Coordinates of all heavy atoms in Angstrom, one line a residue:
M1 N 76.8 155.3 102.2 CA 77.1 154.1 101.6 C 76.1 153.5 100.6 O 75.0 153.3 101.1 CB 77.7 153.0 102.6 CG 78.3 151.8 101.9 SD 79.0 150.7 103.3 CE 78.7 149.2 102.5
V2 N 76.5 153.4 99.3 CA 75.5 152.8 98.3 C 75.4 151.4 98.5 O 76.4 150.6 98.5 CB 76.0 153.2 97.0 CG1 75.1 152.5 95.9 CG2 76.0 154.7 96.8
Q3 N 74.1 150.8 98.6 CA 74.0 149.4 98.7 C 74.1 148.9 97.3 O 74.0 149.5 96.3 CB 72.4 149.1 99.3 CG 72.2 149.9 100.6 CD 72.9 149.2 101.7 OE1 73.3 147.7 101.6 NE2 73.5 149.9 102.6
L4 N 74.4 147.5 97.4 CA 74.6 146.8 96.0 C 73.4 146.8 95.3 O 73.3 147.0 93.9 CB 74.8 145.3 96.4 CG 76.3 145.1 96.8 CD1 76.5 143.5 97.1 CD2 77.3 145.5 95.8
K5 N 72.1 146.7 95.8 CA 70.9 146.7 95.0 C 70.6 148.1 94.3 O 69.9 148.1 93.4 CB 69.6 146.3 95.9 CG 69.3 147.2 97.0 CD 68.3 146.7 97.8 CE 67.9 147.6 99.1 NZ 67.0 147.0 100.0
E6 N 71.2 149.0 94.8 CA 71.1 150.4 94.1 C 72.2 150.6 93.0 O 72.0 151.5 92.2 CB 71.4 151.5 95.2 CG 70.3 151.5 96.4 CD 70.6 152.5 97.4 OE1 71.5 153.3 97.3 OE2 69.8 152.5 98.3
R7 N 73.2 149.7 93.0 CA 74.2 149.8 92.0 C 74.0 148.8 90.8 O 74.5 149.0 89.7 CB 75.7 149.7 92.6 CG 76.0 150.8 93.5 CD 77.3 150.5 94.4 NE 78.3 149.8 93.5 CZ 79.3 149.1 94.1 NH1 79.3 148.9 95.4 NH2 80.1 148.5 93.4
I8 N 73.5 147.7 91.2 CA 73.4 146.7 90.2 C 71.9 146.4 89.7 O 71.0 146.2 90.5 CB 73.8 145.4 90.9 CG1 75.3 145.4 91.5 CG2 73.6 144.0 90.0 CD1 75.8 144.2 92.2
D9 N 71.8 146.5 88.3 CA 70.5 146.4 87.8 C 70.5 145.3 86.6 O 69.6 145.2 85.8 CB 69.9 147.7 87.3 CG 70.8 148.5 86.3 OD1 71.8 147.8 85.9 OD2 70.4 149.5 85.9
S10 N 71.6 144.6 86.5 CA 71.8 143.6 85.3 C 72.8 142.6 85.7 O 73.7 142.9 86.6 CB 72.0 144.3 84.0 OG 73.4 144.8 84.1
P11 N 72.9 141.5 85.1 CA 73.8 140.4 85.3 C 75.2 140.9 85.0 O 76.2 140.6 85.8 CB 73.4 139.3 84.4 CG 72.0 139.3 84.2 CD 71.7 141.0 84.3
A12 N 75.3 141.7 83.9 CA 76.6 142.3 83.5 C 77.4 143.2 84.6 O 78.4 143.2 84.9 CB 76.6 142.9 82.2
I13 N 76.4 144.0 85.2 CA 76.8 144.9 86.2 C 77.1 144.1 87.5 O 78.2 144.4 88.2 CB 75.8 146.0 86.6 CG1 75.5 146.9 85.4 CG2 76.2 146.9 87.7 CD1 76.5 147.8 84.9
A14 N 76.4 143.1 87.8 CA 76.7 142.2 89.0 C 78.2 141.7 88.8 O 78.9 141.5 89.7 CB 75.7 141.2 89.1
A15 N 78.4 141.1 87.5 CA 79.8 140.5 87.3 C 80.9 141.5 87.4 O 81.9 141.4 88.0 CB 79.8 140.0 85.9
E16 N 80.6 142.9 86.9 CA 81.6 143.8 87.1 C 81.9 144.2 88.5 O 83.0 144.5 88.8 CB 81.1 145.1 86.2 CG 81.2 145.1 84.8 CD 80.5 146.1 84.0 OE1 80.4 147.2 84.7 OE2 80.2 146.1 82.8
V17 N 80.8 144.3 89.3 CA 81.0 144.6 90.8 C 81.9 143.5 91.4 O 82.8 143.7 92.2 CB 79.6 144.8 91.4 CG1 79.8 144.9 92.9 CG2 79.0 146.1 90.9
L18 N 81.6 142.2 91.1 CA 82.3 141.1 91.6 C 83.8 141.2 91.3 O 84.7 141.2 92.2 CB 81.7 139.8 91.3 CG 82.5 138.6 91.9 CD1 81.5 137.6 92.5 CD2 83.3 137.9 90.9
V19 N 84.1 141.4 90.0 CA 85.4 141.6 89.6 C 86.2 142.7 90.2 O 87.3 142.6 90.6 CB 85.4 141.6 88.0 CG1 86.9 142.1 87.5 CG2 85.0 140.4 87.4
A20 N 85.5 143.7 90.2 CA 86.1 145.1 90.9 C 86.4 144.8 92.3 O 87.5 145.1 92.7 CB 85.2 146.1 90.8
Q21 N 85.6 144.2 93.1 CA 85.9 143.8 94.4 C 87.1 142.9 94.7 O 87.8 143.1 95.5 CB 84.5 143.5 95.1 CG 83.6 144.6 95.3 CD 82.5 144.3 96.1 OE1 82.3 143.3 96.9 NE2 81.4 145.1 96.2
L22 N 86.9 141.9 93.8 CA 88.0 140.8 93.8 C 89.4 141.6 93.4 O 90.4 141.2 94.2 CB 87.8 139.7 93.0 CG 86.8 138.7 93.6 CD1 86.5 137.7 92.4 CD2 87.3 138.1 94.8
K23 N 89.4 142.2 92.5 CA 90.7 142.9 92.0 C 91.2 143.9 93.0 O 92.4 144.1 93.2 CB 90.5 143.6 90.7 CG 90.6 142.5 89.5 CD 90.6 143.3 88.2 CE 90.8 142.2 87.1 NZ 92.0 142.5 86.3
A24 N 90.3 144.6 93.8 CA 90.7 145.6 94.8 C 91.4 144.7 95.8 O 92.4 145.3 96.5 CB 89.6 146.1 95.4
K25 N 91.1 143.6 96.2 CA 91.7 142.7 97.2 C 92.9 141.8 96.7 O 93.8 141.5 97.4 CB 90.6 141.9 97.9 CG 91.1 141.1 99.2 CD 89.9 140.5 99.8 CE 90.4 140.0 101.3 NZ 89.4 139.4 102.1
F26 N 92.8 141.4 95.5 CA 93.8 140.5 94.8 C 94.1 141.1 93.5 O 93.6 140.6 92.4 CB 93.2 139.1 94.7 CG 92.7 138.5 95.9 CD1 91.4 138.3 96.2 CD2 93.6 137.8 96.8 CE1 90.8 137.7 97.2 CE2 93.0 137.3 97.9 CZ 91.7 137.2 98.2
P27 N 95.0 142.1 93.4 CA 95.2 142.7 92.1 C 95.9 141.8 91.1 O 95.9 142.3 89.9 CB 96.3 144.0 92.6 CG 96.5 143.7 94.0 CD 95.6 142.7 94.6
S28 N 96.5 140.8 91.4 CA 97.2 139.9 90.4 C 96.3 139.0 89.7 O 96.9 138.3 88.9 CB 98.4 139.1 91.1 OG 97.8 138.3 92.2
I29 N 95.0 138.9 89.9 CA 94.2 138.0 89.3 C 93.8 138.5 87.9 O 93.9 139.7 87.7 CB 92.8 137.8 90.0 CG1 92.1 139.0 90.3 CG2 93.1 137.1 91.4 CD1 90.6 138.9 90.7
V30 N 93.4 137.7 87.1 CA 93.0 137.9 85.7 C 91.7 137.4 85.5 O 91.4 136.2 86.0 CB 94.0 137.1 84.6 CG1 93.5 137.4 83.3 CG2 95.4 137.6 84.8
T31 N 90.8 138.2 85.0 CA 89.4 137.9 84.9 C 88.8 138.0 83.6 O 89.3 138.8 82.7 CB 88.4 138.7 85.9 OG1 88.6 140.1 85.5 CG2 88.9 138.6 87.3
K32 N 87.7 137.2 83.3 CA 87.1 137.3 82.0 C 85.6 137.0 82.3 O 85.2 135.9 82.6 CB 87.7 136.3 81.0 CG 86.9 136.3 79.7 CD 87.6 135.1 78.8 CE 86.7 135.0 77.6 NZ 87.1 133.9 76.8
V33 N 84.8 137.9 81.9 CA 83.3 137.7 82.1 C 82.8 136.9 80.9 O 83.2 137.2 79.8 CB 82.5 139.0 82.1 CG1 81.0 138.8 82.2 CG2 83.0 139.9 83.3
R34 N 82.2 135.8 81.1 CA 81.8 134.9 80.1 C 80.4 135.8 79.4 O 79.6 136.1 80.1 CB 81.1 133.6 80.6 CG 82.3 132.8 81.1 CD 81.9 131.4 81.6 NE 83.0 130.6 81.9 CZ 82.9 129.3 82.0 NH1 81.9 128.7 81.8 NH2 84.1 128.6 82.3
P35 N 80.6 135.9 78.0 CA 79.6 136.7 77.3 C 78.1 136.1 77.4 O 77.2 136.9 77.3 CB 80.0 136.8 76.0 CG 80.9 135.4 75.7 CD 81.5 135.3 77.1
E36 N 77.9 134.8 77.5 CA 76.6 134.3 77.5 C 76.0 134.2 78.9 O 76.7 134.0 79.9 CB 76.5 132.9 76.9 CG 77.1 131.7 77.9 CD 78.7 131.7 77.9 OE1 79.4 132.4 77.1 OE2 79.2 131.0 78.8
L37 N 74.7 134.5 79.0 CA 74.0 134.4 80.3 C 73.7 132.9 80.5 O 73.4 132.1 79.6 CB 72.7 135.1 80.2 CG 73.0 136.7 80.3 CD1 71.5 137.4 80.2 CD2 73.8 137.3 81.4
L38 N 73.8 132.5 81.7 CA 73.4 131.1 82.1 C 72.1 130.9 82.3 O 71.4 129.9 82.1 CB 74.3 130.7 83.5 CG 75.8 130.8 83.3 CD1 76.5 130.8 84.7 CD2 76.4 129.9 82.3
A39 N 71.3 132.0 82.8 CA 69.9 132.0 82.8 C 69.6 133.5 82.8 O 70.4 134.3 82.6 CB 69.4 131.3 84.1
D40 N 68.2 133.9 82.8 CA 68.0 135.4 82.8 C 68.7 136.2 83.7 O 69.0 137.3 83.5 CB 66.4 135.5 83.0 CG 65.6 134.9 81.9 OD1 66.2 134.8 80.8 OD2 64.4 134.8 82.0
E41 N 69.0 135.7 85.0 CA 69.6 136.6 86.0 C 71.0 135.9 86.5 O 71.6 136.3 87.5 CB 68.7 136.7 87.2 CG 67.4 137.4 86.8 CD 66.4 137.4 88.0 OE1 66.7 136.8 89.0 OE2 65.6 138.2 87.9
D42 N 71.6 135.0 85.7 CA 72.8 134.5 86.0 C 74.0 134.8 85.0 O 73.6 134.8 83.8 CB 72.9 133.0 86.2 CG 71.7 132.6 87.3 OD1 71.3 133.5 88.0 OD2 71.4 131.4 87.3
I43 N 75.3 135.0 85.4 CA 76.3 135.2 84.5 C 77.5 134.5 85.1 O 77.7 134.4 86.4 CB 76.6 136.7 84.3 CG1 77.5 136.9 83.1 CG2 77.0 137.4 85.5 CD1 77.4 138.4 82.7
G44 N 78.5 134.1 84.3 CA 79.8 133.5 84.8 C 80.9 134.3 84.6 O 81.0 135.1 83.7
V45 N 82.0 134.3 85.4 CA 83.2 135.0 85.4 C 84.3 133.9 85.6 O 84.3 133.2 86.6 CB 83.2 136.0 86.6 CG1 84.6 136.6 86.5 CG2 82.1 137.0 86.4
E46 N 85.3 134.0 84.7 CA 86.5 133.0 84.9 C 87.5 134.0 85.5 O 87.7 135.1 85.2 CB 87.0 132.8 83.4 CG 86.2 131.7 82.8 CD 86.8 131.2 81.4 OE1 88.1 131.4 81.2 OE2 86.0 130.7 80.7
I47 N 88.1 133.4 86.6 CA 89.2 134.0 87.4 C 90.3 133.1 87.4 O 90.3 132.0 87.9 CB 88.6 134.3 88.8 CG1 87.3 135.1 88.7 CG2 89.7 135.1 89.7 CD1 86.4 135.0 90.0
R48 N 91.4 133.8 87.0 CA 92.7 133.0 87.2 C 93.6 133.7 88.2 O 93.7 134.9 88.1 CB 93.4 133.0 85.8 CG 92.7 132.2 84.8 CD 93.4 131.6 83.7 NE 92.6 131.0 82.7 CZ 92.3 129.7 82.8 NH1 92.9 128.9 83.7 NH2 91.5 129.1 81.9
A49 N 94.0 132.9 89.2 CA 94.8 133.6 90.3 C 96.1 132.7 90.4 O 96.1 131.5 90.3 CB 94.0 133.5 91.6
P50 N 97.2 133.4 91.0 CA 98.4 132.7 91.2 C 98.1 131.5 92.2 O 97.3 131.6 93.1 CB 99.3 133.7 92.0 CG 98.7 135.1 91.5 CD 97.3 135.0 91.3
K51 N 98.9 130.5 92.0 CA 98.6 129.2 92.8 C 98.7 129.4 94.2 O 98.0 128.7 95.0 CB 99.7 128.2 92.4 CG 99.4 127.5 91.1 CD 100.4 126.3 90.9 CE 99.9 125.4 89.7 NZ 100.8 124.3 89.4
D52 N 99.5 130.3 94.7 CA 99.5 130.5 96.1 C 98.4 131.1 96.9 O 98.2 131.1 98.0 CB 100.9 131.3 96.6 CG 100.9 132.6 95.9 OD1 100.4 132.8 94.8 OD2 101.6 133.5 96.5
I53 N 97.5 131.7 96.0 CA 96.3 132.4 96.6 C 95.1 132.0 95.9 O 94.0 132.6 96.3 CB 96.4 133.9 96.6 CG1 96.5 134.5 95.0 CG2 97.6 134.5 97.3 CD1 96.3 136.0 94.9
W54 N 95.0 131.0 94.9 CA 93.8 130.8 94.3 C 92.7 130.1 95.1 O 91.5 130.4 94.8 CB 94.1 129.9 93.0 CG 94.3 128.4 93.2 CD1 95.4 127.8 93.5 CD2 93.3 127.5 93.1 NE1 95.3 126.4 93.6 CE2 94.0 126.2 93.4 CE3 92.0 127.5 92.9 CZ2 93.3 125.0 93.4 CZ3 91.3 126.2 92.9 CH2 91.9 125.0 93.2
K55 N 93.0 129.5 96.1 CA 91.9 129.0 97.1 C 91.3 130.1 97.8 O 90.1 130.2 98.0 CB 92.4 127.9 98.1 CG 92.8 126.6 97.4 CD 93.2 125.6 98.3 CE 93.4 124.2 97.5 NZ 93.8 123.1 98.3
R56 N 92.1 131.0 98.3 CA 91.5 132.1 99.0 C 90.7 133.0 98.1 O 89.7 133.6 98.4 CB 92.6 133.2 99.5 CG 93.3 132.5 100.9 CD 94.2 133.4 101.5 NE 94.8 134.4 100.5 CZ 95.9 135.0 100.8 NH1 96.4 135.1 101.9 NH2 96.3 135.9 99.8
V57 N 91.2 133.2 96.8 CA 90.4 134.0 95.9 C 89.1 133.3 95.6 O 88.0 133.9 95.5 CB 91.2 134.1 94.5 CG1 90.3 134.7 93.5 CG2 92.4 134.9 94.7
G58 N 89.0 131.9 95.5 CA 87.8 131.2 95.4 C 86.8 131.4 96.4 O 85.6 131.5 96.3
E59 N 87.4 131.3 97.7 CA 86.5 131.5 98.9 C 86.0 132.9 98.8 O 84.7 133.1 99.1 CB 87.3 131.3 100.1 CG 87.7 129.7 100.2 CD 88.8 129.6 101.4 OE1 89.1 130.6 102.0 OE2 89.0 128.4 101.7
E60 N 86.8 133.9 98.6 CA 86.2 135.3 98.5 C 85.1 135.5 97.3 O 84.1 136.2 97.6 CB 87.3 136.2 98.4 CG 87.0 137.8 98.5 CD 86.7 138.2 99.8 OE1 87.1 137.6 100.8 OE2 86.0 139.2 99.9
A61 N 85.4 134.9 96.2 CA 84.5 135.0 95.1 C 83.2 134.4 95.4 O 82.1 134.9 95.1 CB 85.1 134.4 93.9
A62 N 83.2 133.3 96.1 CA 82.0 132.7 96.5 C 81.2 133.4 97.4 O 80.1 133.6 97.4 CB 82.3 131.2 97.1
M63 N 81.8 134.1 98.4 CA 81.3 134.9 99.5 C 80.6 136.1 98.8 O 79.5 136.6 99.0 CB 82.2 135.3 100.5 CG 82.4 134.2 101.6 SD 83.4 134.6 103.0 CE 84.9 135.3 102.4
L64 N 81.4 136.7 97.8 CA 80.8 138.0 97.2 C 79.7 137.6 96.3 O 78.7 138.3 96.2 CB 82.0 138.5 96.4 CG 83.1 139.4 97.1 CD1 84.2 139.7 96.1 CD2 82.5 140.6 97.6
S65 N 79.8 136.5 95.7 CA 78.7 136.1 94.8 C 77.4 135.8 95.5 O 76.3 136.2 95.1 CB 79.0 134.7 94.0 OG 78.0 134.2 93.4
L66 N 77.6 135.2 96.7 CA 76.4 135.0 97.6 C 75.8 136.3 98.1 O 74.6 136.6 98.0 CB 76.8 134.1 98.8 CG 75.6 133.9 99.8 CD1 74.4 133.2 99.2 CD2 76.2 133.1 100.9
Q67 N 76.7 137.3 98.5 CA 76.2 138.5 98.8 C 75.5 139.3 97.8 O 74.4 139.9 98.0 CB 77.5 139.4 99.3 CG 77.0 140.7 99.7 CD 78.2 141.7 100.1 OE1 79.3 141.2 100.0 NE2 78.0 142.9 100.6
I68 N 76.1 139.2 96.5 CA 75.3 139.9 95.5 C 74.1 139.2 95.2 O 73.0 139.9 94.9 CB 76.4 139.8 94.2 CG1 77.5 140.8 94.4 CG2 75.5 140.2 92.9 CD1 78.6 140.6 93.3
E69 N 74.0 138.0 95.2 CA 72.7 137.3 94.9 C 71.7 137.6 95.9 O 70.5 137.8 95.6 CB 72.9 135.8 94.9 CG 71.6 135.0 94.5 CD 71.7 133.5 94.5 OE1 72.6 133.0 95.0 OE2 70.8 132.9 93.7
L70 N 72.0 137.5 97.3 CA 71.1 137.8 98.2 C 70.5 139.3 98.3 O 69.4 139.5 98.6 CB 71.7 137.6 99.7 CG 71.9 136.0 100.0 CD1 72.7 136.1 101.2 CD2 70.7 135.3 100.1
E71 N 71.5 140.2 97.9 CA 71.1 141.6 97.9 C 70.4 142.1 96.6 O 69.6 143.0 96.6 CB 72.3 142.5 98.2 CG 72.8 142.4 99.6 CD 74.0 143.3 99.9 OE1 73.9 144.4 99.3 OE2 74.7 143.0 100.8
T72 N 70.6 141.4 95.4 CA 70.1 141.9 94.2 C 69.3 140.9 93.4 O 68.6 141.2 92.5 CB 71.3 142.3 93.3 OG1 72.0 141.1 93.0 CG2 72.2 143.4 93.9
G73 N 69.5 139.5 93.7 CA 68.8 138.5 92.9 C 69.6 138.1 91.7 O 69.2 137.1 91.0
F74 N 70.7 138.8 91.4 CA 71.5 138.3 90.3 C 72.7 137.4 90.8 O 73.3 137.6 91.8 CB 72.3 139.4 89.6 CG 71.2 140.5 88.9 CD1 71.1 141.8 89.5 CD2 70.6 140.0 87.9 CE1 70.2 142.6 88.9 CE2 69.7 140.9 87.2 CZ 69.4 142.1 87.8
F75 N 72.8 136.3 90.0 CA 73.8 135.2 90.5 C 75.0 135.2 89.5 O 74.9 135.1 88.3 CB 73.3 133.9 90.6 CG 74.3 132.8 91.0 CD1 74.7 132.8 92.3 CD2 74.7 131.9 90.1 CE1 75.7 131.9 92.6 CE2 75.6 130.8 90.6 CZ 76.1 130.9 91.7
V76 N 76.3 135.5 90.2 CA 77.5 135.6 89.4 C 78.2 134.2 89.8 O 78.5 134.0 90.9 CB 78.4 136.7 89.7 CG1 79.6 136.7 88.9 CG2 77.7 138.1 89.5
L77 N 78.4 133.3 88.8 CA 79.0 132.1 89.0 C 80.5 132.2 88.8 O 80.9 132.4 87.6 CB 78.4 131.0 88.2 CG 79.0 129.5 88.3 CD1 78.8 129.1 89.7 CD2 78.3 128.7 87.3
P78 N 81.3 132.2 89.8 CA 82.8 132.3 89.7 C 83.4 130.9 89.3 O 83.2 130.0 90.1 CB 83.3 132.9 91.0 CG 82.3 132.4 91.9 CD 80.9 132.3 91.2
F79 N 84.2 131.0 88.3 CA 85.1 129.8 88.0 C 86.5 130.2 88.3 O 87.1 131.1 87.6 CB 84.9 129.4 86.5 CG 83.6 129.0 86.0 CD1 82.7 130.0 85.6 CD2 83.2 127.7 86.3 CE1 81.4 129.6 85.2 CE2 81.9 127.4 85.8 CZ 81.1 128.3 85.2
V80 N 87.0 129.7 89.4 CA 88.5 130.1 89.8 C 89.5 129.0 89.5 O 89.3 127.8 89.8 CB 88.4 130.3 91.3 CG1 89.7 131.0 91.7 CG2 87.4 131.4 91.7
Y81 N 90.4 129.4 88.8 CA 91.5 128.4 88.3 C 92.9 128.9 88.8 O 93.2 130.2 88.8 CB 91.5 128.3 86.9 CG 90.3 127.9 86.2 CD1 89.5 128.8 85.7 CD2 89.7 126.5 86.4 CE1 88.3 128.4 85.1 CE2 88.5 126.2 85.7 CZ 87.9 127.1 85.1 OH 86.6 126.8 84.5
P82 N 93.9 128.0 89.0 CA 95.2 128.6 89.1 C 95.8 129.2 87.8 O 95.3 128.6 86.8 CB 96.1 127.3 89.5 CG 95.1 126.3 89.9 CD 93.9 126.6 89.1
Q83 N 96.4 130.3 87.9 CA 97.0 131.0 86.6 C 97.8 130.1 85.6 O 97.5 130.3 84.5 CB 97.8 132.2 87.0 CG 96.9 133.5 86.9 CD 97.7 134.6 87.4 OE1 98.9 134.6 87.9 NE2 97.3 135.8 87.1
E84 N 98.4 129.1 86.2 CA 99.2 128.3 85.4 C 98.5 127.4 84.5 O 98.9 126.7 83.4 CB 100.3 127.6 86.1 CG 101.4 128.5 86.7 CD 100.8 129.2 87.9 OE1 99.7 128.9 88.5 OE2 101.6 130.1 88.5
S85 N 97.2 127.0 84.8 CA 96.4 126.0 84.2 C 95.8 126.7 82.9 O 95.6 128.0 82.9 CB 95.3 125.5 85.1 OG 94.3 126.4 85.4
K86 N 95.4 125.9 82.0 CA 94.8 126.4 80.7 C 93.5 125.7 80.5 O 93.2 124.8 80.8 CB 95.7 126.1 79.5 CG 96.9 126.8 79.4 CD 96.8 128.4 79.3 CE 98.1 129.1 79.5 NZ 98.0 130.5 79.5

């Protein structure tokens, strides 16, 4: 099994891994990686999820973000919204 630190070497890859893992568990979500870096090792991801699961998606995104940060040093800041909001 490949460890996260062996797969992730930039904030963009960290965001891609977070999105891929979330989409595997919640295929109905819509994501957008924010193009600007928040700091040298931080990046944001907007996640829109159906209202009935958006809290669970937010909890999972927070746990994945923490795991990625602890294992790689890159922080992905997830912004999770109900899909109906703009």
Side-chain angles (χ1 to χ4, degrees):
M1 183 170 146
V2 177
Q3 298 295 320
L4 287 177
K5 63 184 173 185
E6 295 171 10
R7 294 174 35 205
I8 298 173
D9 61 2
S10 72
I13 300 293
E16 288 177 14
V17 167
L18 181 129
V19 166
Q21 289 188 10
L22 282 176
K23 283 191 173 232
K25 191 166 187 177
F26 305 102
S28 61
I29 64 171
V30 176
T31 61
K32 177 182 173 187
V33 176
R34 293 182 170 200
E36 73 282 351
L37 293 180
L38 303 171
D40 289 344
E41 297 179 344
D42 301 346
I43 193 166
V45 176
E46 288 184 23
I47 302 161
R48 298 205 181 265
K51 279 187 175 182
D52 59 332
I53 63 167
W54 78 273
K55 287 184 182 182
R56 287 189 330 196
V57 171
E59 291 168 357
E60 184 73 20
M63 288 189 299
L64 286 170
S65 176
L66 177 61
Q67 179 186 4
I68 289 169
E69 182 179 23
L70 290 174
E71 291 187 29
T72 70
F74 297 112
F75 180 64
V76 181
L77 181 58
F79 298 91
V80 183
Y81 306 100
Q83 257 176 352
E84 294 76 11
S85 70
K86 296 290 176 189

